[in-house]
Amino acid sequence: MRADAEALDLTNVTANWVNAEVLRSEVGLRIKALADLAGTPLFFGRLDYAQAVDDDGSGHRYYIGRRHVHDADGDPMVIDWRAPVSQPFYRASKRDPQGIALRRRFGYDGGDLSAYEDEHLSDPAEAERGSALLRREIERPRVGPMRDIVATIQPEQDEIVRTSLSGSICVQGAPGTGKTAVGLHRVAYLLYTHRERLARSGTLVIGPNRSFLRYIEQVLPALGEMEVKQATVDELVAHVEVRGTDTARAATIKGDARMAEVLRRAVRSGVRLPTEPVVVVRGSRHWRVPVPELEEIVEELRSRDLRYGSAREALPQRIAHAVLVQMERAGEAPDDRVQNAVARTPAVKSAVTSCWPQVDPAKLVLRLLSDAAFLAEQADGVLDADEQRAILWEKPPRGVKSARWSPADAVLIDEVRDLVERTGSLGHVVLDEAQDLSPMQYRAVGRRCSTGSVTVLGDIAQGTTPWATPSWAAALAHLGKPEASVEELTQGFRVPRTVIAYASRLLPAIAPELSEATSVRDSPGSLVVRPVAEAGLSAAVAAACAEVLRNEGSVGLIAADARVPALAGALAAAGLTHLAPGTETSADSRLTLVPASLAKGLEYDYVVLDEPAAIVAGEPDERTGLRRLYVALTRAVSGLLVLHAQPLPGPLREAGEPAAA
């Protein structure tokens, strides 16, 4: 198929050079999408239908794979996993075989077929059993970036993946339930079923940081989807250079949804009623629009739910129309060209500038955060005096370029930009690790899918910011999608049962309303908690990493951010090289040193966790610290080794510790 695409002759097949370039680009993307992926088989399953439908009396047989593959005659050899005919591969069961006589799973070592496993779904004599190949695929060592899960999608995951484009959905997923992979595969499914529509409107995946995006960036290309954009929320609102930081309290207030009303008032604060009539000179005639009529025009525009910039563009046309009405009454017959000419006259332009001045979003936010009197006027009845003082700059900057803008300030500027001119909407947005966003950040994302749909992914228990969302209902309201359905994934596949049970001891303290996660995987010896002496903690951690590296797969050393430099030195002293988060692991470099603040969304075959108490102490409050610890405890696929010199945090101690080793 790739050779056919490469052999296409594009000479003299288009009307002009522009079309030729577009066609050449499309063919290039097609060739790129058909590239071979080392160790990635073309198919992973087979479905044999029970009903005899072919001429020879046999049933239909379909091979299921990551991509559609056809032969030289164009007949399908492998069916895309997203096609409707592939759905029973994920949904059929002994209780509901969906017409399937046999489901076969293929096992691979690298790219080599090594095993197969059959389920006779329509045979009542065969007992239902778990799939050994499925478990082996889930437990396969992880080296490199995140991979696709098309061979292991579970029925509850498949339902979410195949939700229609018109519906927004929120997935509350416990650690190890595959919510990130489900969200990415949902994008791939939507592009398959609505390709032309989404090609016009666009799709976007939003992650918490660049390390996370680098980790997931190969999933969609592996499925043949090359044009999905990825960004962080900070990159979406990067209208100014961010060089400053806020206190936790200031960032929380700036991220509060009430700031939207403060900004709306500030944008409209410059609108003034006219004090003088507008006199337009046309040849020898003078046309006068009196103050009361001008006031009526301004008030009418101010009362409508128009963007500030749209209303400002409409104002000169409204004034010009008032002049045209007078011309018609005087017996003239002006047309649209005359109205446009009147709207451009100095008298009308002067009136517009006086009544409806232009708004520069960054300058407006600069004034709001620098001018106490202006802030007090706009925040009256919305923010109290203490809250206003908390967000005011102690030393106002000289201008926009010299200001040390914080990430929260950039979100405020983005809100003002939308108040002035509507933000463009995409067809579909996937928002991952959404629990950490502030209400104002939710609004920024919501603007970018106002006419499209959204897939929200997250875990309330993993909210590690002071402004983390208290509920998905509140988050969806801020996104502008209150009607979105909320689905909960509690069945884990990645984290071993003993590890998720240990981490779940924290749930009563961090998210008592959530159900405790379970896991289908029981891996004896997957959890070890080891007390060590304070003086030798860093050396003991380095030794533990060397111990764990004897196993196959990736290793993540997760520690409080403040402990990272000391541990980097200990690893160097032990002769262990390590990578930074977001750097792709390889067979030769399998150890990654991960600050706890960047651990969210990442996964490793084995995790060595340094000093849980330090991770908790590194956050502004205990609840946030325990949530950060919950994240760190749930990054392991095969084994977790916890080393501590200080006493373990209360919720872990109260339930008793596993035996030290």
Side-chain angles (χ1 to χ4, degrees), residues 11 17 21 33 50 65 125 143 146 182 258 270 293 329 368 417 426 430 442 479 536 557 564 581 618 655:
T11 307
W17 70 269
E21 287 300 316
V143 175
M146 186 179 190
V182 166
R258 294 175 297 164
E293 188 172 358
R329 287 174 182 166
L368 198 67
R417 286 173 64 94
L426 297 163
V430 173
Y442 280 121
L479 272 170
L557 169 54
V564 167

Side-chain angles (χ1 to χ4, degrees), residues 97-431:
Q98 300 186 19
I100 303 300
L102 178 142
R103 174 169 56 199
R104 174 170 290 180
R105 299 181 190 275
F106 296 96
Y108 291 86
D109 286 326
D112 298 326
L113 179 66
S114 59
Y116 68 89
E117 179 182 77
D118 288 347
E119 298 172 86
H120 297 88
L121 299 179
S122 300
D123 183 358
E126 182 179 288
E128 189 165 11
R129 65 184 187 275
S131 168
L133 282 180
L134 190 64
R135 174 171 175 159
R136 193 178 80 176
E137 174 65 18
I138 292 171
E139 295 177 348
R140 183 155 54 92
R142 285 154 168 74
V143 175
M146 186 179 190
R147 60 174 184 258
D148 66 72
I149 61 165
V150 291
T152 62
I153 291 174
Q154 300 299 295
E156 63 270 27
Q157 296 174 323
D158 190 63
E159 284 188 33
I160 295 170
V161 167
R162 296 178 192 266
T163 302
S164 70
L165 177 60
S166 60
S168 291
I169 190 169
C170 174
V171 182
Q172 159 62 41
T177 54
K179 56 184 178 294
T180 295
V182 166
L184 294 174
H185 287 70
R186 173 157 161 70
V187 173
Y189 172 77
L190 292 176
L191 286 168
Y192 177 85
T193 53
H194 305 280
R195 188 165 303 281
E196 289 188 9
R197 178 176 170 184
L198 290 177
R200 292 192 302 269
S201 57
T203 52
L204 174 67
V205 174
I206 302 174
N209 51 60
R210 267 289 142 192
S211 295
F212 177 82
L213 292 178
R214 284 193 292 271
Y215 177 61
I216 68 170
E217 66 184 356
Q218 295 303 316
V219 174
L220 289 169
L223 300 174
E225 303 301 343
M226 315 297 296
E227 295 189 294
V228 178
K229 296 180 180 178
Q230 298 181 351
T232 65
V233 174
D234 289 344
E235 289 168 347
L236 289 183
V237 299
H239 310 301
V240 291
E241 183 182 0
V242 173
R243 296 181 297 156
T245 55
D246 286 311
T247 64
R249 183 159 187 261
T252 302
I253 296 169
K254 289 178 180 179
D256 194 296
R258 294 175 297 164
M259 285 300 299
E261 173 60 19
V262 176
L263 295 171
R264 190 193 68 79
R265 292 181 184 180
V267 168
R268 297 275 173 161
S269 65
V271 178
R272 296 285 184 269
L273 292 176
T275 57
E276 297 180 353
V278 171
V279 179
V280 176
V281 179
R282 293 279 297 175
S284 61
R285 300 293 299 271
H286 289 62
W287 305 98
R288 185 174 182 272
V289 183
V291 170
E293 188 172 358
L294 291 172
E295 288 180 346
E296 185 178 338
I297 292 172
V298 172
E299 287 286 15
E300 192 268 337
L301 286 173
R302 187 155 58 177
S303 66
R304 295 181 61 188
D305 187 23
L306 292 174
R307 292 295 193 276
Y308 184 90
S310 298
R312 190 176 191 277
E313 291 176 1
L315 181 55
Q317 291 293 331
R318 296 292 181 86
I319 296 173
H321 179 72
V323 173
L324 259 67
V325 170
Q326 294 184 30
M327 290 180 177
E328 289 171 349
R329 287 174 182 166
E332 297 189 15
D335 56 17
D336 290 345
R337 291 174 297 176
V338 174
Q339 179 169 323
N340 291 333
V342 171
R344 293 193 297 268
T345 59
V348 173
K349 286 183 176 180
S350 177
V352 170
T353 301
S354 174
C355 298
W356 211 285
Q358 284 187 324
V359 168
D360 181 291
K363 288 182 179 178
L364 182 76
V365 174
L366 178 68
R367 181 185 176 193
L368 198 67
L369 300 178
S370 304
D371 187 336
F374 183 61
L375 176 60
E377 180 183 353
Q378 309 310 320
D380 183 34
V382 181
L383 304 179
D384 62 33
D386 286 341
E387 289 173 320
Q388 293 175 33
R389 281 193 292 272
I391 64 174
L392 276 170
W393 280 326
E394 293 182 6
K395 185 179 180 182
R398 293 189 301 273
V400 170
K401 291 186 177 180
S402 63
R404 296 185 64 82
W405 299 105
S406 70
D409 297 333
V411 178
L412 299 183
I413 294 172
D414 189 71
E415 178 85 19
V416 175
R417 286 173 64 94
D418 185 68
L419 289 167
V420 174
E421 184 176 353
R422 185 183 297 276
T423 304
S425 175
L426 297 163
H428 191 77
V429 170
V430 173
L431 175 60

Side-chain angles (χ1 to χ4, degrees), residues 587-601:
D588 298 324
S589 300
R590 298 185 289 121
L591 174 62
T592 304
L593 177 55
V594 186
S597 62
L598 297 180
K600 195 170 297 178

